[in-house]
Amino acid sequence: MTYAELRRTLRATLSEAGRLTGLPIDTVYEADEILRLVAGLDRAAVLLRGAEEADETHAVRCIAAAKGRGEGIPLAYLLGISPFCGEDFYCAPGCLIPRADTEVLVEEATSRLPAGGILWDLCTGSACVPISVLLQRQDVPAAFGVELYPSAAAAAERNMTKFADAIGNRFTLVRGDVLLGDIPQNTPAPAVITANPPYISSAVIDTLDVQVQMEPRTALDGGEDGLRFYRAILAGYLGYLAEGGCIIFEIGYDQKRAIRALAQEYDCTCIIRRDYDGNDRVAVIKPHPKA
């Protein structure tokens, strides 16, 4: 089988996976991602080397990944990698999959952190948010990620190692429970606290598509109204901010009013930013200056 034939086989297999699952699978994109991450060939390389015989081991792994989509398994879990902010982050079952929507959270943190400012990232998961910020901001001396669950923490540790040459020892993983207010110990006050916490209402989770339901429920379930973690973070972490600092949340597309109301309860301003699909996605919450 040549690489061109393998690419066509992957597209056909992915198309069938979409039919079986009802998922809107982008067969062209996913076939190219499988080839890139398994065989090390980007789209241009496949076109240039299309007539070459494909490595048999690569071909078997590529086809197995495409068939796994027919079981509703997310591509990130099948490949162990999820693209985010132009980099490839390790991701595995038990860890929330990094998504392009969350890149807006990174953009806000990157633009709002002052030189020398410290970042805390709560519910850090794979640590894609703080590591992405550190990759873009060499003048940020330290970022701390707080994570409770072992599978997610393991992914964060792998990513910390993967990007060590670029970020040095500026990222520290802290095992802790955000709902209990656990914090990094003996650190300067954070200028920015970011969080992409669970924010889906409990009753809604079972209605989501099969691939989302394969992600850890603990990373999705925001309680009865989806606001459980936002309340806990505002109650437990606002007081740790450096003067002039802010908390930046990822939020659900329908949570703008609720988040603004919560911010008002805690005497904070709240700015909402949309993602690139036009959905409300990020809330920047800042305490009013003290009199």
Side-chain angles (χ1 to χ4, degrees):
M1 179 184 294
T2 65
Y3 282 114
E5 290 169 338
L6 176 57
R7 191 184 192 206
R8 288 195 292 271
T9 297
L10 292 177
R11 290 185 179 183
T13 304
L14 290 164
S15 180
E16 176 65 8
R19 187 190 67 79
L20 289 171
T21 61
L23 296 173
I25 294 175
D26 185 335
T27 58
V28 174
Y29 168 78
E30 292 202 10
D32 287 346
E33 276 295 279
I34 291 170
L35 284 166
R36 182 177 73 86
L37 293 170
V38 175
L41 299 175
D42 61 19
R43 183 177 297 185
V46 172
L47 293 175
L48 289 171
R49 299 174 56 186
E52 291 182 18
E53 203 63 24
D55 177 274
E56 185 175 353
T57 300
H58 288 164
V60 169
R61 288 181 57 203
C62 285
I63 293 170
K67 287 182 176 178
R69 295 293 280 130
E71 299 173 22
I73 302 172
L75 187 64
Y77 289 166
L78 290 164
L79 300 177
I81 292 288
S82 184
F84 185 78
C85 285
E87 302 289 346
D88 290 327
F89 283 83
Y90 289 117
C91 183
C95 180
L96 187 72
I97 297 170
R99 288 176 169 81
D101 292 343
T102 307
E103 293 181 7
V104 180
L105 181 66
V106 172
E107 290 176 8
E108 285 296 322
T110 300
S111 66
R112 291 177 181 276
L113 269 166
I118 302 298
L119 172 67
W120 290 4
D121 184 56
L122 309 179
C123 306
T124 200
S126 65
C128 63
V129 169
I131 289 175
S132 294
V133 172
L134 291 174
L135 288 171
Q136 297 178 49
R137 290 289 304 273
Q138 297 298 320
D139 60 346
V140 172
F144 299 82
V146 179
E147 177 56 48
L148 176 62
Y149 295 101
S151 295
E157 288 171 351
R158 288 194 70 184
N159 286 317
M160 181 168 51
T161 300
K162 176 178 181 178
F163 293 102
D165 287 347
I167 66 173
N169 61 357
R170 291 184 295 148
F171 177 70
T172 301
L173 179 64
V174 178
R175 297 297 299 277
D177 189 341
V178 169
L179 291 176
L180 297 180
D182 290 338
I183 64 167
Q185 298 294 320
N186 303 316
T187 67
V192 171
I193 296 175
T194 51
N196 178 16
Y199 57 72
I200 301 173
S201 300
S202 302
V204 172
I205 293 174
D206 291 336
T207 69
L208 301 175
D209 72 50
V210 62
Q211 62 183 350
V212 175
Q213 291 191 47
M214 287 191 176
E215 295 185 69
R217 192 178 184 99
T218 52
L220 303 173
D221 193 340
E224 185 176 354
D225 61 359
L227 303 176
R228 183 186 185 199
F229 281 82
Y230 299 128
R231 291 192 186 94
I233 291 169
L234 290 174
Y237 291 88
L238 272 173
Y240 291 107
L241 283 172
E243 185 175 355
C246 63
I247 293 178
I248 309 176
F249 288 135
E250 177 168 330
I251 65 172
Y253 72 94
D254 57 351
Q255 291 180 318
K256 176 170 69 175
R257 286 187 179 180
I259 294 297
R260 280 183 167 166
L262 275 178
Q264 189 172 14
E265 283 181 31
Y266 285 89
D267 194 29
C268 294
T269 62
C270 179
I271 298 171
I272 303 294
R273 178 176 167 184
R274 293 179 176 178
D275 61 28
Y276 291 102
D277 288 326
N279 296 311
D280 294 326
R281 187 58 60 197
V282 164
V284 181
I285 296 177
K286 192 170 185 177
H288 286 292
K290 295 178 181 179

